Amino acid sequence: MLELRDISVSVTEEKEVPILKDINLALDKNKIYVMTGPNGGGKSSIAKTIMGIYQPVKGKILLDGIDITEKGITERARLGIGYAFQQPPRFKGLKVRELLALAGKEDLDEQCDLLFDVGLCAQDYIDREINASFSGGELKRIEIATLLARNLNVAVFDEPEAGIDLWSFQKLTETFEHLHEKYNTTLVIISHQERILRLADEVILVSEGRISEITSRENILAEIEKIDFDCRCRKECIKGEIASAECDR
Amino acid sequence: MLNAIDKRLLQEVADLHTIPQGAYNIRKNGQAAGRQSTANIDIVTKAEKPGIDVIIKPGTKGESVHIPVILSESLDDLVYNTFEIGAGSDVLIVAGCGIHNPGSNKSQHDGVHEFFVRKGAKMKYVEKHYGEGSGSGQRILNPKTIIEVEEDGTVELEMIQIKGVDQTKRDTQIRLHKNARLIVSERLLTDLEQNAESNITVELFGEDATAQIISRSVAQDNSRQVFHLSLRGYAKCRGHIQCDSIIMQNAQVSSIPEITAFHSDAELIHEAAIGKIASEQLVKLMTLGLTEEEAETTILQGFLK
Ligand SMILES: Nc1ncnc2c1ncn2[C@@H]1O[C@H](COP(=O)(O)OP(=O)(O)OP(=O)(O)O)[C@@H](O)[C@H]1O
Ligand SMILES: [Mg+2]
């Protein structure tokens, strides 16, 4: 179980700016949490705080009852915490194969399976450098694969669906659906996507640097239904039948 | 005779574990330490000045020449080598200089390499610098490379220097004729108080000549690097320079671009960038369990590969 107790985070530019305020969360093993809310609400900041990229000015983080607040990124990674970036970096000179090996999957067959799981043809990608030639969507998929490569206690995916085409999206949701079962993973997915929300055991709403609500998938979906009452293409859109269906949500 | 230090130097600069296959010439402390010509490749000592002539017969395919230079004592070594790459041949030439300087006097090797790559010939030239030794003596390498590439010729140039050399000034001048192709990749890492300067001038004389220069460097500690890469297009031709440097600690890097067109159909591009390691890259690798130092090493190794 991962617990955030009274966590506050500030960033210092010219002066100290609070970005997270009194965050309390208790996330169980083998469950899927979907974190959602307005842009700039603080979702990525919560993820970075879990990973140790941001250090809280106040509060504690506990993993299975052990205080990890003072631990750095590397130590947390070794304790089985993983974070798939919202905007993953590119690496001049580093090949997909090498990055996956660094993530812990050195076996070529297993690497190919991983790429398949994120909808990439292994042959075309395994020896490619993760440089500027990668498209946004390709980069996101590689990023997701670096997390799937590890048997994690806590896996946080930051808008994994961003830039992923509709066809692959189906595959991705299937992957998430079963991911947590194998290693008892606490799965946190930051997303604005209805189809990802449907996977949630619990939905965490974040806005203005606070957790504004923790609710059930049913509640959230009912709310969306209300908003979308007038949108006729909605059903097809969810089923993925109309590739061109675009909601303005 | 080659001792253990010599063998290590050879391995570093020429990837040689034993005496190489094919033609070779090993120069140790200013003296010849082994030579072999083959049926198609002739190596002869120059009469008028120190150095060798390497003559490769037209049509020679898939053969290699190794010409490593090793210095294991303080010495001022100057050498002139000339290469005649016969028409239609396809060869690999591995040069390189390894210095082991145990003393407090300087070790210096200045090599002038001149190449004539004849019609339709293909040459890959690899030059690696390596320095070691705990003494305070400076390790200095100043190579000068002049390459003339005739019609339809192809030249691939690999120049590598990773640490260990205190002073280096590398001058490279290349002339490309009709339909000649050139690819240069330069890799440089300096640390401590080292200084490195690389000047590459490529003149594209012939129609449809192409040149691509990819230079990547890392400057650490108090080291300094200066790159002066210049393309001059005199005909319908294409040229591209990519110069990328990672700067760390108190190092200093100058990248001075120069592209000059003397013909309206010359297409020349210069891209240069200097910056530190992107922090997201470090963080990303640390989230996979690497320490900060491991992440840094991984990024630099990839960058200089
Ligand atoms: N390193 C930083 N420096 C300055 N401001 C920051 C930093 N990190 C986050 N913020 C600010 O904190 C707020 C929350 O940002 P965060 O990235 O967590 O939002 P988010 O909920 O992930 O948004 P989105 O849905 O757009 O991804 C924003 O106003 C952002 O500008
Ligand atoms: Mg975000």
Side-chain angles (χ1 to χ4, degrees):
Chain A
M1 182 153 105
L2 182 79
E3 282 175 89
L4 276 67
R5 289 192 193 155
D6 293 323
I7 288 285
S8 293
V9 173
S10 299
V11 289
T12 336
E13 307 233 286
E14 263 143 51
K15 56 181 172 48
E16 210 176 277
V17 188
I19 55 174
L20 294 178
K21 295 149 215 156
D22 304 315
I23 302 287
N24 281 290
L25 274 177
L27 308 175
D28 285 325
K29 282 190 186 303
N30 200 0
K31 273 198 178 172
I32 301 182
Y33 297 88
V34 175
M35 211 187 279
T36 193
N39 293 134
K43 302 176 294 296
S44 297
S45 301
I46 293 179
K48 288 176 186 169
T49 308
I50 293 173
M51 191 68 242
I53 299 170
Y54 288 174
Q55 274 299 328
V57 289
K58 183 170 120 334
K60 273 192 185 337
I61 304 176
L62 291 94
L63 181 66
D64 297 327
I66 298 163
D67 189 342
I68 59 162
T69 320
E70 298 299 319
K71 295 204 188 298
I73 303 169
T74 309
E75 281 177 285
R76 291 193 202 189
R78 291 177 183 176
L79 288 169
I81 299 179
Y83 172 51
F85 287 29
Q86 184 170 4
Q87 279 162 330
R90 292 176 164 86
F91 292 89
K92 246 179 212 161
L94 198 66
K95 290 181 176 165
V96 169
R97 178 149 50 104
E98 293 162 333
L99 188 68
L100 293 178
L102 289 172
K105 277 276 184 290
E106 287 174 14
D107 181 79
L108 188 65
D109 286 339
E110 287 184 309
Q111 292 178 346
C112 290
D113 287 347
L114 272 179
L115 292 179
F116 179 77
D117 282 343
V118 293
L120 293 177
C121 170
Q123 250 182 10
D124 298 347
Y125 288 92
I126 200 94
D127 275 318
R128 245 176 90 178
E129 272 184 29
I130 311 165
N131 56 24
S133 75
F134 262 71
S135 79
E138 289 169 336
L139 200 61
K140 280 297 267 194
R141 294 178 198 210
I142 299 293
E143 181 70 3
I144 294 165
T146 63
L147 249 67
L148 301 180
R150 306 165 64 208
N151 313 330
L152 292 168
N153 283 327
V154 179
V156 187
F157 291 88
D158 202 341
E159 300 195 20
E161 79 278 3
I164 305 272
D165 57 75
L166 271 179
W167 184 86
S168 320
F169 192 79
Q170 180 65 29
K171 183 139 192 43
L172 195 65
T173 47
E174 282 166 21
T175 305
F176 285 137
E177 212 170 340
H178 303 290
L179 183 64
H180 59 303
E181 289 162 5
K182 208 156 142 200
Y183 301 104
N184 250 337
T185 308
T186 304
L187 189 56
V188 182
I189 309 173
I190 298 172
S191 177
H192 305 288
Q193 267 288 335
E194 193 171 332
R195 277 198 283 168
I196 298 260
L197 283 165
R198 286 179 185 278
L199 302 173
D201 291 306
E202 279 179 44
V203 177
I204 303 165
L205 282 165
V206 182
S207 69
E208 292 173 18
R210 295 177 192 276
I211 305 229
S212 54
E213 199 183 342
I214 299 179
T215 177
S216 68
R217 139 184 73 195
E218 287 73 21
N219 278 344
I220 284 287
L221 292 174
E223 253 173 70
I224 293 172
E225 190 111 21
K226 240 179 356 212
I227 301 166
D228 286 348
F229 192 66
D230 291 334
C231 177
R232 275 185 290 139
C233 71
R234 187 177 163 278
K235 286 251 150 48
E236 286 76 14
C237 175
I238 293 166
K239 277 186 266 164
E241 276 170 7
I242 305 177
S244 61
E246 268 193 53
C247 292
D248 50 5
R249 272 205 325 274
Chain B
M1 269 313 289
L2 298 176
N3 59 30
I5 290 176
D6 298 339
K7 285 184 179 155
R8 187 171 63 247
L9 293 176
L10 278 181
Q11 191 177 331
E12 289 290 343
V13 295
D15 282 329
L16 291 178
H17 305 281
T18 55
I19 294 300
Q21 299 281 308
Y24 66 86
N25 185 80
I26 301 171
R27 183 180 175 87
K28 178 188 167 185
N29 297 327
Q31 308 287 323
R35 171 179 305 174
Q36 176 158 302
S37 295
T38 65
N40 293 324
I41 302 174
D42 209 15
I43 303 180
V44 288
T45 307
K46 269 193 199 300
E48 74 283 14
K49 49 189 174 185
I52 50 173
D53 286 327
V54 177
I55 300 141
I56 297 171
K57 276 198 190 139
T60 302
K61 297 243 190 266
E63 290 197 37
S64 63
V65 186
H66 285 80
I67 48 155
V69 170
I70 50 183
L71 276 87
S72 54
E73 55 190 46
S74 297
L75 189 77
D76 225 332
D77 191 22
L78 173 66
V79 61
Y80 300 88
N81 296 333
T82 308
F83 299 77
E84 166 74 31
I85 316 291
S89 56
D90 182 351
V91 289
L92 166 70
I93 296 173
V94 181
C97 183
I99 302 182
H100 174 91
N101 187 354
S104 54
N105 295 323
K106 72 170 185 177
S107 282
Q108 177 163 353
H109 176 77
D110 295 354
V112 181
H113 295 285
E114 199 171 2
F115 296 86
F116 297 93
V117 178
R118 301 301 180 194
K119 221 174 151 187
K122 213 173 149 187
M123 172 182 81
K124 179 170 178 176
Y125 177 59
V126 180
E127 187 178 285
K128 229 168 148 181
H129 290 171
Y130 174 78
E132 60 172 36
S134 47
S136 59
Q138 290 256 309
R139 297 178 292 261
I140 304 173
L141 287 171
N142 296 322
K144 183 164 183 168
T145 309
I146 302 158
I147 308 178
E148 182 94 27
V149 191
E150 292 188 353
E151 194 173 330
D152 297 324
T154 302
V155 168
E156 213 180 304
L157 207 60
E158 240 178 71
M159 307 191 287
I160 305 155
Q161 177 181 314
I162 308 292
K163 294 189 182 177
V165 178
D166 296 300
Q167 292 278 350
T168 177
K169 183 166 183 285
R170 190 197 282 277
D171 276 314
T172 308
Q173 291 165 15
I174 300 164
R175 294 155 62 91
L176 300 176
H177 296 279
K178 192 175 170 203
N179 212 22
R181 275 185 60 212
L182 171 74
I183 300 172
V184 179
S185 38
E186 180 173 50
R187 300 285 179 268
L188 177 67
L189 189 151
T190 53
D191 65 357
L192 309 172
E193 306 290 327
Q194 296 165 3
N195 268 305
E197 184 182 332
S198 176
N199 303 308
I200 304 178
T201 303
V202 179
E203 291 175 298
L204 300 102
F205 287 112
E207 200 183 332
D208 290 322
T210 62
Q212 188 182 13
I213 301 175
I214 303 168
S215 170
R216 285 191 185 169
S217 78
V218 177
Q220 299 178 325
D221 304 325
N222 296 314
S223 66
R224 283 158 179 251
Q225 300 179 354
V226 179
F227 295 92
H228 188 168
L229 311 184
S230 167
L231 289 177
R232 301 169 75 80
Y234 295 89
K236 172 177 173 284
C237 62
R238 278 183 300 130
H240 192 166
I241 298 173
Q242 249 178 300
C243 193
D244 241 317
S245 303
I246 292 181
I247 185 164
M248 299 167 75
Q249 290 99 24
N250 303 308
Q252 195 177 309
V253 180
S254 313
S255 192
I256 307 156
E258 187 179 335
I259 47 181
T260 313
F262 300 93
H263 193 285
S264 61
D265 287 322
E267 286 178 44
L268 306 173
I269 302 172
H270 185 287
E271 293 174 274
I274 303 171
K276 57 179 183 221
I277 297 178
S279 68
E280 314 89 75
Q281 292 183 342
L282 283 174
V283 169
K284 173 65 208 172
L285 295 185
M286 287 163 73
T287 67
L288 298 178
L290 277 69
T291 62
E292 192 169 348
E293 295 72 45
E294 288 166 345
E296 198 176 280
T297 310
T298 304
I299 292 164
L300 294 184
Q301 271 173 359
F303 181 72
L304 289 176
K305 205 164 40 197

